[in-house]
Amino acid sequence: MEQVDEQEGRGASAVPVDDPWDEATGSEWGERSGAEGAGDGHPDTVPEQRVHSAAEIYLEVQRSPAFQEVRSRYRRFVFPAALAFLLWYLAYVVAATAAPGFMARPVAGVVNVAMVAGLGQFLTTFLLTWAYARHARLRRDRAALELRWDTQEMTRGAGQR
């Protein structure tokens, strides 16, 4: 509150009073947490450890070989699959505009090349969705779940300090 009193003369309306990020320093946060029941005689260390420890834990997990492997497996599937699907879609659009005679060529009865290619777009969408789900289930889910559990255990341990 002292900080708000000092700023009242300089345009207090520009300073949000209820915003803890605006007026609180690390020690003020620690004093509030200490007053709320940390009770260890060092009120400003509890929240700082919790915040910094969780951030450090997530950074450590992000740098870990297990996380990098999960991320690499994801990228090795998603980038080529997305590129292939985008090229297939653009080929359909370009063929429809650049070669209308070819797209109008009958395949069977009233069904023409454009209809077959259009239905192929839907089919490849479903196939790509199935392939993505299968790839995730077989190559990433177990490792990602293990990382998640390990991370939760580490952050739970950091929160108890």
Side-chain angles (χ1 to χ4, degrees), residues 55-131:
E56 289 172 359
I57 288 168
Y58 285 109
L59 287 173
E60 180 183 331
V61 169
Q62 184 181 12
R63 292 182 192 120
S64 72
F67 180 83
Q68 295 301 323
E69 180 62 26
V70 169
R71 195 166 148 178
S72 174
R73 288 177 184 177
Y74 171 79
R75 287 180 174 171
R76 281 193 307 253
F77 178 84
V78 169
F79 289 152
L83 180 64
F85 186 78
L86 181 63
L87 289 174
W88 161 232
Y89 175 74
L90 290 175
Y92 175 77
V93 171
V94 168
T97 56
F102 171 73
M103 296 298 272
R105 187 175 296 169
V107 174
V110 294
V111 178
N112 59 21
V113 173
M115 293 173 108
V116 171
L119 291 173
Q121 291 286 317
F122 285 104
L123 179 65
T124 54
T125 300
F126 292 120
L127 286 174
L128 185 59
T129 303
W130 170 81

